[in-house]
Amino acid sequence: MRDWFEKTLTRPVGLLSFTAAACLFTLAAFQAPLLSYALRFSDLHTLEGWVQILSLQVLQVCLFAALVCSLSTIALWLMKWVVALVFIVNSVALYFMLTYGIEIDRTMVGNILNTDRRETAELLHLSLVPYVLFLGIVPAVLVLKVKARGPARIWRFAFAVGAIGLLAAWIALTSFTMLWYDRHASRMGSKILPWSYIINVARHFNRVAMDNRAQVLLPDAQFITAPTARKDVVVLVIGEAARADRFSALGYARETNPFTASYNLTVFPAGLACSTNTISSTACILTHEGRDASARTVFEPLPNYLKRHGVATIFRSNNSGPPPIDVDLYQNRADILANCASEFCPEGGSDALLNRQLGDLIEQTEGARVFVTLHQTGSHGPAYYSKYPKEFEHFTPVCETVQVSRCSQEALDNAYDNTIRYTDSLIADLIAQLDALNDINAALIYVSDHGQSLGEDGFYLHGAPNAIAPKAQREVPFLVWMSEGFAEARGLTAQAILRPETHPHDFPFHSVMGASGLRSEIYKPEFDIFTLYDK
């Protein structure tokens, strides 16, 4: 048997045979997410339905064949190495698509490439190994062992052109299915391996290139109020993956907000996040464009704008994905940990790090106006159980694996709700620190970047395109607290700042401008919650 196996591998294989085998394996191993989606929307009781499904097979075969033959034109060894690599990457992508129901579009590629090592570790599980081993590594080794031979380069190039020509002819022949394809193109495009990540990686880096352009400075602003005897402080807390319908302050049946219940907190109605991914949403929150901002906006973000006008700015991050930040003091998780004795450091790199001695830091900061941004890791999944200390495990049993689809709904809900409850304790701690400061008028704004799916309709985590994203990924909380001095100085009450409609990613920029007494031509009073705007 071993001799037969070795003889088979060492026997030269023609280019067309190699290409056919690679295409057939790709169809057999990696198109489950695509077929699952397509079969839901194809009527197999009609000829058109069968043609739609067959066309997907023709599309995949022709595109992959064109890729393989094109690479062979350069070198046969390059062709084999690329095919081997594609099989391995496909196996990893397939695992995450099937396990978490994700779609590999440009947004998801950005999330993947922006995920830090800690978040990556949370996503890894032993169940990934069989996918990578049997659908990735083993086929890749076989591909590299095979002795491929090909005709003259002109014929290899002709095969590639022929594959594209065959696809074009098929499209012309089955043009009656084009409306169906047009309707589902974006969803199916994010499920076709390997094209979903090849094309969207290119699109992502194109966006990164746009992001690295020089920032456009916003118009100069003027302070319309003189500094008061008391220091004015605004703290913006950007939450992570906190969905509005899990806040008891917004009507959730479970008590997930017990710690802030005793504070005079203004709870706005749930509002829609501008996006379902951290990069885009953070850009929205920190720009004057709000929901109209793209992830690659080139306008200077709020902290930079305030610093340029003399406001003392602090940015603490336990996350990733903010736009380019230029502040007086920037601290990430490692920076904060480096400055505390181990016995007093919050465990596990939790969001308690962001709160650590913040009151003291604000008091020590020079300047009449201070703006603080805290970027939490919040309820980022799938390792919800790791986002809070053990003593905050209030709802039990909890899902203690990153394979959330294998947990009971009760255990998954419990783990997630514990993250919301823990975030509530941190907000309460921030309020207590701010309220204890002397000669300081303070306000706190909490807003989540996006929501989170917990298995509803087969969705997990976040990152779905806005067009099809469920409400759980779009609706976010918006909470505000004002100290007595802050409210009195502006003639406000907790009830007075409420708005009938919440624009969670439009409010922060203009509200912080308003609270700082800063005005310019970009200021929009309708989005300043600290101004009694005529609604």
Side-chain angles (χ1 to χ4, degrees), residues 235-254:
V235 177
L236 171 63
V237 182
I238 302 176
E240 166 70 46
R243 49 191 278 181
D245 64 0
R246 292 305 176 97
F247 278 62
S248 55
L250 284 164
Y252 186 44
R254 282 179 151 182

Side-chain angles (χ1 to χ4, degrees), residues 48 54 85 90 158 177 206 234 253 264 274 286 307 320 339 355 392 394 486 495 509 518:
E48 183 174 352
L54 180 58
L85 179 62
N90 275 6
T177 64
N206 176 62
V234 180
N264 194 21
C274 74
L286 295 179
K307 179 193 174 186
S320 51
N339 291 326
N355 290 24
F392 282 88
H394 180 75
F486 183 95
Q495 187 65 30
F509 190 101
L518 201 61

Side-chain angles (χ1 to χ4, degrees), residues 213-231:
R213 295 185 303 175
Q215 284 188 350
V216 175
L217 298 184
L218 298 176
D220 289 341
Q222 298 78 39
F223 289 103
I224 62 170
T225 57
T228 62
R230 287 182 160 226
K231 186 185 295 184

Side-chain angles (χ1 to χ4, degrees), residues 302-314:
L302 178 61
N304 303 28
Y305 190 49
L306 295 177
K307 179 193 174 186
R308 189 158 62 86
H309 287 86
V311 177
T313 49
I314 301 169

Side-chain angles (χ1 to χ4, degrees), residues 97-102 453-460:
M97 292 170 78
L98 293 178
T99 303
Y100 299 116
I102 67 170
S453 284
L454 299 171
E456 300 91 347
D457 299 319
F459 284 97
Y460 291 92

